[in-house]
Amino acid sequence: LRHAVSGGDLVARLGGDEFLLLLASHDARATVAALRDRLIRAIAEPLDLGGHQVQVTPSLGVSVYPDDGQDIETLLRHADLAMYTAKERGRNALSFYESGMSDALQRRTVMEAELRQGLARDEFVVHYQPIVDVESGRIVGAEALVRWMHPQHGLTFPDVFVPLCESTGLIRELGARVFEQAARDQARWAAQGHVLRVSVNLSARQLVQPGFLDELRAALGRAGADPRHLQLEITESVLLGRDEALMALLRDIQALGLSIALDDFGTGYSNLAYLQRFPISTLKIDKTFIQSIDANRRVAELIVSMCQLLRLTVVAEGVETHEQLEWVRLQGIDLWQGNLCAQPLPAPALWGLLEQQRPLPWAGPGPEA
Ligand code: C2E
Ligand code: CA
Ligand code: CA
């Protein structure tokens, strides 16, 4: 950082992974704009940590004296708010402080309190999206997707609250509840004649939580579920740059009987040599590929070939049309899910679908259905 700034500028470490640059300039915006790429490049320089190449991406927040504050406390607080906004915009982003950011923080604080209350009052429910076998057309599994029955706003989707649960650590409690509910539902359906493989989404934070494995085991016991019919979905970002400890944990999860799926395949690094090292049984092709086959057929087909090279079970996500399903079939993909079969449904509605298919395989919502 010192190399990136000029001699008279102050560079300080505030603690942890937070650094402060204090710059003097007559045109702060122009100075920062000119500095931005140099800073990002300086930080992105790969580091060698015990033989592992590690790359860091910064999020930059800027406040300007005197517009954004008259004293150092206010300027620091506003630069911090700007940094959080940059973080939300993704890697390498830079944000200048704007007055609305305090409101956004205020909203986050309110939502965090509501989330805690929601957990205390059991406002979260699990919906299930059917997963269909391409060959037989039968529902053979379901993905558990959490919903929040917010007392004022009603049914609320995970995109709204999961990121905040992740950054506050509440995801541990929420994730544990979703897993246990999914395991209970799986066991109940199986006892009533519908053995489904139920998959549950897992955030990175849950995996690094001490005692995670014991908690899984205990939840399975309480639910009375057969772990062989449960799957955990993780994303590639969880695997990247992680060490042997993660590998061992994934193997322990597998030894419990659970299988592991890689979610949103194709959107991350998709490094095959790398993926092959991990105990993964299923790849879920991200819905963006399925939904862009008209425009990007070759890319979508390349992604499918990559999946098939790894010889894992392949699931196509986000199938919405018969044409997409036909393509899925032609590619030799094993399973699919998407609105063409059903949106995520409350457990009783999924049960209704399962009962319908008892005598006959699911035939698709064609004119005759
Ligand atoms: P995801 O794991 O990729 O889940 C699939 C998302 O695609 C779901 O959104 C689902 O409703 C949606 N979807 C399914 N079929 C179609 C389709 O045909 N077309 C389109 N356009 N979309 C379709 P949802 O339920 O809003 O969940 C969003 C994300 O929230 C999930 O993405 C997952 O990453 C996260 N999430 C959901 N439940 C949990 C949970 O219990 N724990 C954690 N950690 N994350 C969760
Ligand atoms: Ca998923
Ligand atoms: Ca997905």
Side-chain angles (χ1 to χ4, degrees), residues 231-279:
Q231 182 164 67
L232 297 177
E233 298 191 3
I234 58 174
T235 54
E236 264 172 275
S237 58
V238 168
L239 304 180
L240 267 167
R242 295 298 174 90
D243 47 13
E244 295 305 311
L246 175 76
M247 182 79 91
L249 177 60
L250 294 179
R251 289 201 196 288
D252 286 345
I253 289 173
Q254 211 180 29
L256 265 185
L258 296 154
S259 58
I260 297 167
L262 197 68
D263 206 354
D264 306 338
F265 185 73
T267 59
Y269 297 81
S270 307
N271 177 334
L272 298 190
Y274 194 83
L275 289 181
Q276 232 157 3
R277 297 172 44 220
F278 289 97

Side-chain angles (χ1 to χ4, degrees), residues 11-89:
V11 179
R13 181 176 176 198
L14 291 180
D17 57 358
E18 292 197 357
F19 294 86
L20 173 72
L21 304 183
L22 192 64
L23 312 175
S25 157
H26 292 297
D27 187 350
R29 279 175 193 267
T31 305
V32 168
L35 187 62
R36 176 208 169 117
D37 291 339
R38 243 183 307 146
L39 278 179
I40 288 175
R41 244 179 291 127
I43 296 166
E45 194 88 350
L47 304 166
D48 182 76
L49 289 185
H52 292 275
Q53 288 272 307
V54 178
Q55 212 175 4
V56 178
T57 53
S59 302
L60 310 169
V62 186
S63 63
V64 181
Y65 172 87
D67 304 358
D68 301 333
Q70 299 287 334
D71 52 71
I72 188 70
E73 282 79 25
T74 311
L75 284 166
L76 269 176
R77 192 155 39 82
H78 287 169
D80 204 40
L81 278 175
M83 187 197 68
Y84 276 105
T85 312
K87 249 185 198 169
E88 280 170 7
R89 298 220 318 265

Side-chain angles (χ1 to χ4, degrees), residues 36 97 111 129 169 198 202 204 234 271 289 296:
R36 176 208 169 117
Y97 172 73
M111 198 200 270
Q129 183 170 46
V198 175
L202 202 65
I234 58 174
N271 177 334
F289 296 102
N296 277 318

Side-chain angles (χ1 to χ4, degrees), residues 322-335:
H322 287 285
E323 291 70 37
Q324 288 164 355
L325 180 55
E326 197 41 42
W327 178 85
V328 163
R329 193 190 312 280
L330 285 173
Q331 296 300 310
I333 291 172
D334 308 292
L335 304 168

